[in-house]
Amino acid sequence: MKLSPFKLERFFARYEFNVRYVLCASDCETFFVREILSLEPEAEARCLDLRLGYTESAGAPSLRQAIAGLYTTISPEEILVHSGAEEAIFAFMVATLKAGDHIIVHAPCYQSLAEVARGLGCQVSFWQADEKRGWALDPRDLQRLIRPYTRVVVINVPHNPTGYLMPREVFEEVHRITQKHGLILFSDEVYRELEYDPTRRLPAACDVNPNAVSLGVMSKAYGLPGLRIGWIATHRQDVLQAMAVVKDYLTICNSAPAEVLAEVALKHREILLERNRDILRQNLAHWTEFFQRHSDQFAWVPPQAGSVAFPRLLEGDVEEFCDALVMKTGVLLAPGSLFEDRGNHFRIGLGRRYVPEALELLESFLQVPKSLPTL
């Protein structure tokens, strides 16, 4: 297996902890440990009395019980906990694919959703979202992409980096097509519960499709990336068992303190979600006003869910624009090339409290003649 460099992560390794504002952050505003412990009277004592031994490889039973509460048909035995969503993506691909298989991936995409399969020797086709139609997906395109050796279809709903939320009828058609062809549907749902209109929230894929695998994580909607707790939920016991074998070669088990904190957070997730949804609502208004003022320089499709969006620079090279911005102001945007996009787009984040301050610096940057400063 040979993997190409993970472009987004190498980009963040260079910049994330060395800039003033990460205006392309995909997660929501983070919480302090004391804030999570304050959600339950016994939580602090539980953490202090925790024995730091190995944990169950599948995840603590009480944590899997809390995760199962996010779904309507999933039992704790149908949950496999991982060290973040990234490990779960890797384990799924390694467990279910082999060289020569074909996989279809919702695009633009988070690189590992396609790259791990490619590294295994699989053929990858992209189911391309259409910006002109609000980043919509056409199920007829999905149907045309299926081959005799297609094994997996990957969707990301709500979508990173565009903020697209699949309509219910398209979602149902995707399930119909994948079940008709006997395909595994891998559904990246890490931004679920951040819909701007809660009535448009889709069910988890694993709750409506026996061949679906749903991916969840504490990082995005709940604002707890430092816990490094993610999971997959599925009725497919063969997939669960195969992934468990792969996990034995990766982290083996999860962090005991992280599992306790994740369990507490999930039991009170509506408190976390409401705060983050409020931040998103405020920042969506700020970004909307910004793009209205600069409609001659940018085009954008407003997001419908999640904490990211994918506007387009109308003139100039987006990578040069992002480089100049971060070097002159310390404000970081992520060029679309990090998502295998060549349309001059860049990712923005809506989940952090500092968005208004960062936008002021971006606004000032746009008012002065552009020249690339030297480091």
Side-chain angles (χ1 to χ4, degrees), residues 108-119:
C109 69
Y110 186 62
Q111 186 177 338
S112 63
L113 293 173
E115 191 61 47
V116 179
R118 189 182 285 131

Side-chain angles (χ1 to χ4, degrees), residues 2 27 53 62 94 132 157 159 181 199 201 203 209 218 230 278 292 308 355 374:
K2 185 173 178 60
D27 57 334
S62 56
V94 172
K132 293 180 181 178
V157 184
H159 187 235
H181 291 274
T199 65
R201 181 172 303 150
N209 182 343
M218 298 303 300
D278 186 57
Q292 287 173 345
V308 293
V355 165
T374 57

Side-chain angles (χ1 to χ4, degrees), residues 18-310:
N18 301 302
V19 298
R20 190 171 177 183
Y21 296 114
V22 182
L23 197 52
C24 54
S26 61
D27 57 334
C28 288
E29 185 76 22
T30 55
F31 290 86
F32 291 94
V33 171
R34 64 174 176 270
E35 293 178 282
I36 302 304
L37 294 178
S38 71
L39 296 172
E40 285 187 3
E42 305 83 7
E44 183 175 358
R46 185 179 172 191
C47 280
L48 291 175
D49 293 336
L50 183 66
R51 187 181 297 277
L52 295 178
Y54 288 109
T55 62
E56 293 191 33
S57 181
S62 56
L63 173 58
R64 282 183 282 143
Q65 181 72 50
I67 293 171
L70 302 173
Y71 306 98
T72 59
T73 68
I74 294 291
S75 69
E77 293 71 33
E78 294 171 313
I79 302 288
L80 183 60
V81 183
H82 290 78
S83 294
E86 184 57 62
E87 184 188 45
I89 293 169
F90 184 91
F92 170 80
M93 299 293 178
V94 172
T96 60
L97 297 170
K98 64 182 185 303
D101 286 342
H102 177 241
I103 180 173
I104 300 168
V105 182
H106 180 177
C109 69
Y110 186 62
Q111 186 177 338
S112 63
L113 293 173
E115 191 61 47
V116 179
R118 189 182 285 131
L120 289 165
C122 299
Q123 297 184 39
V124 178
S125 295
F126 289 110
W127 184 17
Q128 187 64 47
D130 185 352
E131 181 186 14
K132 293 180 181 178
R133 296 175 51 238
W135 295 114
L137 294 165
D138 190 336
R140 292 171 297 182
D141 293 336
L142 172 61
Q143 184 70 59
R144 284 190 286 267
L145 289 169
I146 294 173
R147 304 174 185 174
Y149 44 95
T150 303
R151 288 272 292 143
V152 172
V153 172
V154 176
I155 59 173
N156 177 200
V157 184
H159 187 235
N160 170 27
T162 68
Y164 167 74
L165 180 58
M166 191 179 289
R168 178 65 69 99
E169 61 273 16
V170 176
F171 181 74
E172 292 174 350
E173 182 66 4
V174 170
H175 286 285
R176 188 193 69 78
I177 291 170
T178 54
Q179 290 185 81
K180 174 185 175 183
H181 291 274
L183 306 177
I184 298 175
L185 180 66
F186 186 83
S187 182
D188 180 344
E189 298 166 0
V190 300
Y191 296 95
R192 191 165 177 265
E193 297 190 294
L194 289 181
E195 298 81 5
Y196 302 155
D197 179 358
T199 65
R200 292 193 57 201
R201 181 172 303 150
L202 296 170
C206 62
D207 281 329
V208 298
N209 182 343
N211 284 327
V213 176
S214 290
L215 174 71
V217 77
M218 298 303 300
S219 304
K220 307 304 182 183
Y222 307 119
L224 296 169
L227 292 184
R228 310 311 305 137
I229 293 291
W231 61 86
I232 61 105
T234 182
H235 294 299
R236 288 282 299 260
Q237 284 297 317
D238 58 333
V239 172
L240 284 167
Q241 294 306 315
M243 290 184 66
V245 170
V246 177
K247 189 185 175 190
D248 286 342
Y249 286 92
L250 300 173
T251 58
I252 302 176
C253 64
N254 309 302
S255 159
E259 288 198 334
V260 171
L261 290 168
E263 179 187 336
V264 172
L266 286 173
K267 288 179 179 177
H268 303 275
R269 73 182 193 277
E270 282 302 328
I271 295 174
L272 312 186
L273 287 167
E274 186 49 45
R275 190 211 66 173
N276 285 337
R277 290 176 191 139
D278 186 57
I279 293 172
L280 289 175
R281 284 190 290 266
Q282 294 178 46
N283 286 336
L284 179 61
H286 291 308
W287 275 114
T288 299
E289 292 170 0
F290 172 86
F291 285 120
Q292 287 173 345
R293 290 194 300 272
H294 298 282
S295 59
D296 59 327
Q297 295 169 286
F298 305 100
W300 90 316
V301 177
Q304 301 162 316
S307 51
V308 293
F310 208 43

